[in-house]
């Protein structure tokens, strides 16, 4: 702006309504006669309007971004497993812990063959379940 009477910061304060009452009167009277300052004020209003418009900030993300994000997370945390595989692993761990608990029950030492047979059948069933999940 090439006007020597009004500073650009004074126009900004006038627009923000943070100006002293006496300065406000001065700026209003000056705007009535100065085309350059009116034009500057209009440009400031447009800039403020553009900054306040939230539609300017909506960004369409490419669909590959989600895959890229997952790859980056995988590289830092290691390979992630699908939730169904995690559930199966938790169940297998629970069964192992239950087997250890059963070993300490009275009478469990008399029936180790039954426990081994049950354990083998369970492992076979879990293995088949995992194979079906991986095949999907």
């Amino acid at each position: 702006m090439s006007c020597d009477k009004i500073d650009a910061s004074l126009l900004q304060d006038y627009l923000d309504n943070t100006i002293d009452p006496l300065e406000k009167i001065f700026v209003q009277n000056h705007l009535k006669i100065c085309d350059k300052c009116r034009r500057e004020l209009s440009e400031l209003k447009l800039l403020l309007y553009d900054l306040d418009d939230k539609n300017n900030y909506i960004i369409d993300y490419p669909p590959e971004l989600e895959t890229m994000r997952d790859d980056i997370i995988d590289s830092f945390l290691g390979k992630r497993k699908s939730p169904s595989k995690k559930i199966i692993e938790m169940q297998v761990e629970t069964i192992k812990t239950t087997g250890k608990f059963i070993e300490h029950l009275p009478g469990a030492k008399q029936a180790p063959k039954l426990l081994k047979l049950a354990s083998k059948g369970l492992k076979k069933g879990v293995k088949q379940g995992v194979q079906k999940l991986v095949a999907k």
Side-chain angles (χ1 to χ4, degrees), residues 15-87:
L15 186 61
D16 293 338
N17 204 19
T18 58
I19 195 170
D20 292 333
L22 187 59
E23 289 177 328
K24 184 175 182 179
I25 293 170
F26 173 74
V27 170
Q28 287 173 339
N29 287 331
H30 179 75
L31 288 172
K32 290 177 185 175
I33 58 170
C34 184
D35 290 336
K36 292 177 184 177
C37 290
R38 277 197 305 266
R39 193 174 316 114
E40 181 75 20
L41 184 65
S42 295
E43 289 175 6
L44 286 172
K45 284 181 182 178
L46 287 173
L47 179 63
L48 185 64
Y49 176 76
D50 282 345
L51 289 174
D52 284 341
D53 188 10
K54 302 295 185 233
N55 291 329
N56 292 337
Y57 302 113
I58 295 175
I59 300 171
D60 293 329
Y61 297 109
E64 302 85 27
L65 190 62
E66 188 174 329
T67 306
M68 290 170 57
R69 179 200 65 207
D70 291 342
D71 290 343
I72 291 169
I73 291 172
D74 286 345
S75 70
F76 283 110
L77 301 178
K79 290 282 186 185
R80 289 186 293 171
K81 299 174 184 171
S82 68
S84 56
K85 288 182 182 179
K86 286 183 180 180
I87 291 171

